[in-house]
Amino acid sequence: MSKQINVALIGNPNTGKTSVFNALTGLNQKVGNYPGITVEKKEGICKLPRGVKAHIIDLPGTYSLNASSLDENVVIELLLNKNDKDFPDIAVVVSDVENLKRNLLLFTQIKDLEIPTLLVINMADRMRYKGISLDIEYLEEQLQTKIALISTRKNEGIDYLKSLITNFKDLSITPCLNASEIDTEYFDSLRKAFPNQLLYKLWLVITQDVNFGKTTRNEIEAVANFKTKSKADLKRLQQKETIKRYQFINNVLKKGQTIDVSQAKDLRTKLDRVLTHKVWGYLIFVIILLTIFQAIYDWSSVPMDFIDGIFASLSEWTKDMLPKGAFTNLLAEGIIPGLGGIVIFIPQIAFLFLFIAILEESGYMSRVVFLMDRIMRRFGLSGKSVVPLISGTACAIPAIMATRNIESWKERLITILVTPFTTCSARLPVYLIIIALVIPEGRVLGLSYQALTLMLLYLIGFGTAVFSAYLLNKILKIKSKTFFVVEMPNYKLPLFKNVVLTVIEKTKSFVFGAGKIILAISIVLWFLASYGPGDEFNDAENIVTIANSSENLTEEELQQKIASHKLEHSFIGITGRAIEPAIRPLGYDWKIGIAIVSSFAAREVFVGTLATIYSVGNDDEDTIKNRMAGEVNPILGGPLFTFASGISLLLFYAFAMQCMSTLAIVKKETNSWKWPTLQLVIMTAIAYITALIAFQFLK
Amino acid sequence: MQDTLAHLKRGEHAVITDVSSIHIPLKLLEMGCLPGNSVELVQVAPFADPMYLNINGSHLAIRKETASHILIEKVTHE
């Protein structure tokens, strides 16, 4: 095997680092997780001239080597650990031509680590618009590096970049400034105490709150002849260091960069005047939201129906083609519908990620964060919580992953905890069928009662999310940094390639991540519903045939009765009967109980379960609806689905935490079982109590 | 009393004179919020919070509370 060059892509957020990564690796990339944490690890392979290959890691965006988040820790951990298998042979710092000054801060820090470093200046195509010109030769000399001026949008300069990577051994490893001058005495004593260590590395280990250097830090503190400084003193030194670096950068750029302001075209100012306006800003935001909802519900219904149809016929086909037996049933009734339950969400998820990718790539999302921060803060949330709360209406799973860029742990945790209250798409099928059953068809002010009920349920979801955030903010005693800094990047036309790759990769991670859980649950459910103890289950055919022998039933009707009898005495049926006393006060019978229990795996299972229980062979909603309308309340008599029990069910589904996948992702993101458990218990308790009150009042 | 960044009005320019390093996250300093650098208030959200700033060419938004720990001297634009 030929030797691979390890390349680390490092850069500020919004510099187009990921575009550079995509340009270098194309589809040769994979996304995983760093061990033990949920930070995404993007890596790929790039073919270089002369048969050399480069292994490229796209490190999370960071403004400096002083980490303030989990994502940023990853960068330092890798760069300080020479033994890591991914330790870079070359560090490629990606910068953006319009923010060169700020981007160079990180560059000078990386140079201090004495790793071969090259500088990429991206978005070169914008130089003319902004009247910027650069003296590359001078900059290369001052910064002790090679510079690749590229444009990922125009696909220019990529080959030159590749050739620089190939010849990484020619790059200088000399730092471009001497940062230790900020406190010569201190750094001298540090150097004396650890003659074999890199000075800047020691400094980083001392100043970070990161867990990476526990051992190294203890070593430092154990050395007797070295005096550490107080936290406040260290911070003052860090500030001095930053000033020092900026002085150097300012001096370099004074000669190396000229900006002709008269040439600059300022699109940003014009757009921001409207998009962040006190009135227009909010109005435009609402219009964009409505468009997204429309797309997610309307446009995705066609492919969803299509997928639904394919899986239904696949099930049928399996049953017809394979020999009868337990395995065929497991395949046709457990695994295939289970898989269908994952795949059917792909259009919605893809649409959602498409819109979010466009909003983020274009720079608009930061404006929303800016507009909403003050309002959200009243409820203990951050402006950055808006993104998850919007995504939550499609699915809570990606929404919870989207909380990562919230700086304050408390605000982030609250956002994670309340997001599942928003009305996700899995609640829709349940809402629709029950509304159709119990809400009358009349109209008020031109709006149908049924549509109003649905709208009300959405409002209840949002309202509860915001209200419980308010309560959590009062209850939770978590001390965390509460600062809020959001960069307002330039507006950009989203790059098609980036958007498509993001959508594919996120959808894939949803399907495989959440999919595994949904699949496992559906298999377990199938077993519980298909097997049961005792004669009542195993001898169901005889029992039902004898009991109905006097009636003239068609073969089909008889089969339905047998299936229904079996289900009643299967493991899941027994469970349903066991919990019946608990749910009777809410107005439900044991069959609804089963549907509720099984939909703790995923809400949308509810309709499917009821369909099976009411022995309706197909998925036709009208048939299920008619069957449901015909159900009789075993105790009170009269129809089972009344206004009272219907409202009670709607409220139960609005509040209950019935989604294994969400719990799994909350566990992953909070790294503890405490929060998902609390979520499950509290949300279900709220659901139970409101449903109880609603039924008892309305019956 | 000296002006802080929180007193800046929309469209006004200023120079940062001092930052209280205990209250200001390092990240903000690294984004260019340092003594000597120029700052302009680009836009404010309702209730003047958060504030959308152009500091030394970097565009960013911070909360008013944070801004009140950054001392400035207003510059009258010619």
Side-chain angles (χ1 to χ4, degrees), chain A residues 376-414:
Chain A
M376 302 306 278
R377 219 183 314 158
R378 288 201 186 153
F379 304 102
L381 298 168
S382 155
K384 297 181 183 178
S385 310
V386 176
V387 184
L389 287 178
I390 295 170
S391 335
T393 52
C395 179
I397 297 160
I400 284 168
M401 293 198 283
T403 61
R404 281 183 194 152
N405 64 350
I406 300 175
E407 294 99 342
S408 148
W409 167 241
K410 186 176 179 183
E411 287 172 349
R412 180 172 171 216
L413 180 67
I414 294 178

Side-chain angles (χ1 to χ4, degrees), chain B residues 3-4 10 17-18 20 40-41 43 46 56 58 62 71 76:
Chain B
D3 277 342
T4 73
R10 211 166 69 132
T17 54
D18 197 10
S20 146
E40 181 201 349
L41 184 62
Q43 180 72 282
N56 201 26
S58 276
I62 58 173
L71 300 180
T76 36

Side-chain angles (χ1 to χ4, degrees), chain A residues 403-444:
Chain A
T403 61
R404 281 183 194 152
N405 64 350
I406 300 175
E407 294 99 342
S408 148
W409 167 241
K410 186 176 179 183
E411 287 172 349
R412 180 172 171 216
L413 180 67
I414 294 178
T415 312
I416 291 177
L417 292 177
V418 304
T419 296
F421 277 121
T422 53
T423 304
C424 71
S425 59
R427 284 182 174 101
L428 262 187
V430 183
Y431 284 175
L432 292 177
I433 196 159
I434 293 173
I435 287 175
L437 270 174
V438 304
I439 306 292
E441 273 181 21
R443 277 174 184 276
V444 60

Side-chain angles (χ1 to χ4, degrees), chain A residues 235 483, chain B residues 19-26 28 65-66 68-70:
Chain A
K235 200 170 172 198
F483 73 87
Chain B
V19 285
S20 146
S21 62
I22 313 152
H23 296 102
I24 302 295
L26 190 61
L28 194 53
E65 201 272 330
T66 313
S68 70
H69 295 292
I70 300 168

Side-chain angles (χ1 to χ4, degrees), chain A residues 63-82:
Chain A
Y63 291 103
S64 85
L65 286 186
N66 301 307
S68 60
S69 79
L70 215 60
D71 287 22
E72 293 170 6
N73 280 358
V74 169
V75 181
I76 309 179
E77 275 179 50
L78 178 65
L79 292 178
L80 293 193
N81 185 4
K82 278 211 158 89

